[in-house]
Amino acid sequence: MRDIQHIEIPGHTLSVRVDPGPEREGRPALWPSVGEYPIYDPFLYTTMTTDDERNHRFRAALAHLAPDRRILDIGTGQDLLWAREGVQAGARHAVAIEVIEDAFHKAAANLPALESPDRITLLLGESTRLRFAPRADVCVAEIIGSLAGAEGAAAVLADARTRLLEPGGLVIPHRAVTLAAAVRLSDLLPEQPVAFAEAALPYLRSIFGWHGSPFDVRLRVENPPADALLSEGAPIEVLDFNGDLQTQQRTTTHLAITRSGLVDGVLTWLNLWCLPDEEPLDALSMKTNWATIYLPLFDSPVPVETGDVLELTFAAALSDDRVHPDYQLQAVLRTADGQQRRGSLISPHHGGAFRSHSLYRDLFPAG
Ligand SMILES: C[S@@+](CC[C@H](N)C(=O)[O-])C[C@H]1O[C@@H](n2cnc3c(N)ncnc32)[C@H](O)[C@@H]1O
């Protein structure tokens, strides 16, 4: 296989660096982050409907909260998964809404064969534009990203709580947190090039085609080796869906370096609670469809020693679509010998720079 391949989007032919190595279960792989774009296909839906680590948590929360209630399933997908499970768990009625037309039509075709189709109302569109009565008692919304808020969960669920849920209504999931740790990208992809998995190319094409032009997409790393982390992990983004839910946030955290190595960015991953008192799903250590996201901070790797500290400021603010967040990161690496190295990243949901960072110039070589 060639290690440079080309993708076509209207007005652009892009060169993309591709990993020529074999695709093997458990091998690290680099993908664009896909969940925050309306490009879901049957393959992506299947990775979710077969995610036991995720599904048993949503199922347990519905068994607890759905009986005799009216539920609202935001982002029901082609399989009407949580509307169907909610009704099976004893919900009186479920409103299920899906914004992707193709997924909606598949869901509409699936609906008549379900157990109690008359107890599910399926709608096409964005929940933020939906009006219906009576309001729901419980909202279930699996619109959680690998960066927890990237799919717009804060704005969508703040809106649902205000307009679509009864006062005191509850949201499933309960809480989502993004954690971060210092890493070097090439340590996440050991013995293989820093290059996209070949299977990821159609998704790059879909994301750029949807936006109309290429941009520096967030980078999803599947199966990163656990020993690649150079610091402890700490929360950088917190979404309390049944509490004080913020659509804009900024945190500064100090990541203590735990062993010597080279750092060029941070790896982030999801912790998710569907019910308040359960053990959270941890996307770093558990087998799940949520992967880790690598965010570059420095142009070239910086040596670190145990005891150095990476001060990381992480800010989320709504993009121009008023749903999906843009992220900004600033980093100060303070080493024991008193040196400071500064790094930063602007990571908009869509648009923004293309090939702004040397990493993206390598992934998308010019010409
Ligand atoms: C991560 S998938 C989950 C699909 C399915 N509910 C499941 O859990 O397997 C998210 C789905 O939500 C849809 N979606 C995201 N935001 C939405 C919104 N505000 N209104 C309606 N659908 C939305 C997406 O198009 C996508 O189909």
Side-chain angles (χ1 to χ4, degrees), residues 184-217:
R184 174 172 65 158
L185 178 58
S186 60
D187 293 339
L188 300 170
L189 302 164
E191 294 164 37
Q192 61 191 87
V194 172
F196 286 107
E198 191 179 23
L201 294 186
Y203 295 94
L204 279 171
R205 192 182 302 118
S206 298
I207 295 167
F208 295 156
W210 163 79
H211 178 58
S213 58
F215 60 97
D216 290 342
V217 284

Side-chain angles (χ1 to χ4, degrees), residues 224-226 229 267-271 281-286 288 290-292:
L229 270 52
L267 190 69
T268 70
W269 67 95
L270 173 71
N271 273 193
L281 176 150
D282 181 279
L284 186 64
S285 61
M286 295 174 179
T288 170
W290 284 290
T292 62

Side-chain angles (χ1 to χ4, degrees), residues 224-247:
D227 63 3
L229 270 52
L230 288 162
S231 76
E232 58 193 12
I236 54 170
E237 182 188 36
V238 176
L239 299 167
D240 272 317
F241 298 116
N242 290 305
D244 179 19
L245 182 56
Q246 299 294 331
T247 55

Side-chain angles (χ1 to χ4, degrees), residues 23-317:
E23 229 183 273
R24 254 198 330 259
E25 175 84 19
R27 186 173 189 262
L30 190 67
W31 278 62
S33 179
V34 291
E36 52 266 59
Y37 305 106
I39 60 161
Y40 287 85
D41 62 10
F43 170 76
L44 294 180
Y45 284 120
T46 303
T47 64
M48 295 181 278
T49 50
T50 54
D51 182 340
D52 294 335
E53 203 59 72
R54 176 193 85 137
N55 296 348
H56 81 77
R57 288 177 169 77
F58 276 84
R59 200 167 286 133
L62 283 168
H64 190 59
L65 297 175
D68 299 323
R69 302 254 175 66
R70 294 178 179 280
I71 68 169
L72 167 64
D73 176 7
I74 296 181
T76 197
Q78 64 175 23
D79 302 298
L80 294 136
L81 191 59
W82 305 123
R84 193 178 68 198
E85 296 245 3
V87 165
Q88 274 166 10
R92 275 156 57 201
H93 185 262
V95 171
I97 182 160
E98 175 52 54
V99 69
I100 297 178
E101 260 186 63
D102 195 43
F104 164 82
H105 289 303
K106 288 201 170 86
N110 287 333
L111 183 55
L114 300 186
E115 215 170 89
S116 309
D118 49 317
R119 279 157 65 197
I120 298 179
T121 304
L122 175 64
L123 303 171
L124 170 65
E126 252 179 69
S127 63
T128 46
R129 291 162 192 259
L130 171 69
R131 291 186 191 288
F132 74 96
R135 293 180 180 213
D137 307 299
V138 174
C139 173
V140 53
E142 203 288 67
I143 50 172
I144 307 300
S146 290
L147 268 164
E151 295 180 21
V156 167
L157 290 169
D159 170 69
R161 277 173 54 180
T162 315
R163 297 188 311 110
L164 306 175
L165 274 184
E166 288 289 353
L170 288 172
V171 174
I172 305 170
H174 180 72
R175 181 167 215 249
V177 172
T178 307
L179 293 100
V183 290
R184 174 172 65 158
L185 178 58
S186 60
D187 293 339
L188 300 170
L189 302 164
E191 294 164 37
Q192 61 191 87
V194 172
F196 286 107
E198 191 179 23
L201 294 186
Y203 295 94
L204 279 171
R205 192 182 302 118
S206 298
I207 295 167
F208 295 156
W210 163 79
H211 178 58
S213 58
F215 60 97
D216 290 342
V217 284
R218 296 175 191 142
L219 298 173
R220 168 183 170 103
V221 182
E222 296 184 351
N223 308 312
D227 63 3
L229 270 52
L230 288 162
S231 76
E232 58 193 12
I236 54 170
E237 182 188 36
V238 176
L239 299 167
D240 272 317
F241 298 116
N242 290 305
D244 179 19
L245 182 56
Q246 299 294 331
T247 55
Q248 190 159 330
Q249 52 180 291
R250 184 184 180 87
T251 56
T252 296
T253 184
H254 294 86
L255 303 175
I257 301 294
T258 49
R259 64 185 180 83
S260 59
L262 292 162
V263 167
D264 55 17
V266 287
L267 190 69
T268 70
W269 67 95
L270 173 71
N271 273 193
L272 182 70
W273 290 254
C274 281
L275 287 169
D277 298 325
E278 70 186 11
E279 182 211 358
L281 176 150
D282 181 279
L284 186 64
S285 61
M286 295 174 179
K287 189 170 159 37
T288 170
N289 81 95
W290 284 290
T292 62
I293 302 291
Y294 167 79
L295 300 167
L297 292 171
F298 302 104
D299 276 333
S300 55
V302 186
V304 290
E305 300 285 346
T306 307
D308 294 352
V309 174
L310 182 66
E311 181 186 298
L312 183 66
T313 300
F314 179 91

